[in-house]
C-alpha cells in the first residue's frame, strides 16, 4: 500500500530530536546529523558530526546519543527521539547489555534516566530529510560534533518543506 510520509511536529511542550547517520560503504566513513524542533517546526538546535570509521549501527547509536546530549544541555524536559533505523530503535529499547554496542546503548539509556521524559520512535527516512542534509555536512568537518547555524540556507529549505507538510509517497507492507 502507498502512504504519504512527512515530518510530524511533536505535541505542545515537547521537542523532537531527529537524527540520522549514513556510512559510506567503500570506506566505512560515518557521519551523523540531527536537529531539535518544537511543535511549530522551528529549529531549536542542529548538529553535524564527523565520526571515525564505524558500522552503520554504531553511527546511528552515536548520532542519537549526540542529539540527546544536546537536548539535555539545552534544558528540554520532554523529548521525542525519532530515528529511521528500526534496528537501532529496538536496541535502544532493549534491556540486554550483551551486545558489542553496549557502551553506546548504555550511554543513551543513562541519558534517558535523568530528570526528563524521553520517548524513542522509528520513523520512515522520508520523514527525516533534514537530518540527511545535516549528516552530509559531517564529511567536510573535522572529527567531532559541531553545531550548525539554525538559519543555514540549505537547512532552512528542508525545514520549510516540513513545516508546509510536504510529503513523499512510500510503499509500505501492511503488517495486519
Amino acid at each position: 500500500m502507498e502512504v504519504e510520509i512527512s515530518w510530524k511536529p511533536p505535541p505542545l511542550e515537547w521537542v523532537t530530536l531527529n537524527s540520522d547517520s549514513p556510512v559510506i560503504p567503500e570506506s566505512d566513513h560515518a557521519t551523523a546529523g540531527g536537529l531539535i524542533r518544537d511543535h511549530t517546526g522551528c529549529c531549536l538546535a542542529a548538529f553535524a558530526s564527523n565520526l571515525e570509521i564505524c558500522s552503520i549501527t554504531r553511527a546511528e547509536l552515536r548520532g542519537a546519543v549526540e542529539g540527546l546530549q544536546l537536548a539535555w544541555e539545552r534544558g528540554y524536559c520532554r523529548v521525542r527521539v525519532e530515528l529511521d533505523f528500526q534496528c537501532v530503535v529496538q536496541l535502544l529499547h532493549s534491556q540486554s547489555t550483551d551486545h558489542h554496542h553496549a557502551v553506546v546503548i548504555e550511554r543513551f539509556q543513562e541519558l534517558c534516566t535523568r530528570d526528563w521524559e524521553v520517548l524513542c520512535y522509528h520513523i520512515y527516512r522520508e520523514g527525516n530529510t533534514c537530518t540527511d542534509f545535516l549528516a552530509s555536512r559531517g564529511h567536510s568537518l573535522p572529527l567531532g560534533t559541531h553545531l550548525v547555524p539554525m538559519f543555514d540556507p540549505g537547512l532552512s529549505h528542508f525545514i520549510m518543506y516540513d513545516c508546509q507538510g510536504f510529503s513523499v509517497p512510500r510503499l509500505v507492507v501492511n503488517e495486519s
Side-chain angles (χ1 to χ4, degrees):
M1 133 174 86
E2 187 173 280
V3 295
E4 293 292 319
I5 306 295
S6 62
W7 181 79
K8 304 283 190 258
L12 188 65
E13 298 183 10
W14 284 77
V15 296
T16 294
L17 162 64
N18 292 103
S19 175
D20 192 28
S21 302
V23 174
I24 297 173
E26 299 81 28
S27 65
D28 288 337
H29 180 244
T31 61
L35 74 161
I36 300 168
R37 292 189 273 188
D38 67 12
H39 67 281
T40 67
C42 178
C43 181
L44 305 171
F47 70 93
S49 300
N50 185 343
L51 308 173
E52 71 268 5
I53 293 172
C54 63
S55 70
I56 183 67
T57 302
R58 181 169 291 283
E60 291 276 352
L61 288 165
R62 289 187 56 198
V65 167
E66 293 289 337
L68 198 54
Q69 180 65 43
L70 179 60
W72 174 259
E73 291 169 2
R74 295 290 173 106
Y76 301 115
C77 299
R78 294 185 175 108
V79 182
R80 293 174 50 100
V81 179
E82 296 181 342
L83 307 171
D84 62 14
F85 194 14
Q86 180 68 37
C87 172
V88 168
V89 173
Q90 291 169 346
L91 283 172
L92 293 173
H93 284 126
S94 77
Q95 299 302 313
S96 173
T97 57
D98 185 27
H99 194 280
H100 60 281
H101 298 298
V103 171
V104 187
I105 295 167
E106 288 170 4
R107 175 69 179 134
F108 183 89
Q109 291 171 340
E110 182 274 322
L111 283 165
C112 290
T113 62
R114 295 181 179 181
D115 189 24
W116 62 346
E117 291 180 70
V118 177
L119 302 172
C120 186
Y121 298 95
H122 171 258
I123 60 167
Y124 292 115
R125 68 185 305 270
E126 294 86 351
N128 209 14
T129 56
C130 289
T131 59
D132 289 336
F133 170 79
L134 290 164
S136 69
R137 284 282 179 90
H139 291 291
S140 62
L141 297 172
L143 282 178
T145 298
H146 309 271
L147 293 178
V148 174
M150 292 179 282
F151 300 105
D152 178 281
L155 179 58
S156 296
H157 172 80
F158 288 104
I159 291 172
M160 180 186 69
Y161 277 131
D162 283 350
C163 290
Q164 292 176 349
F166 180 77
S167 64
V168 177
R170 179 186 175 109
L171 290 175
V172 177
V173 175
N174 188 352
E175 297 178 4
S176 53

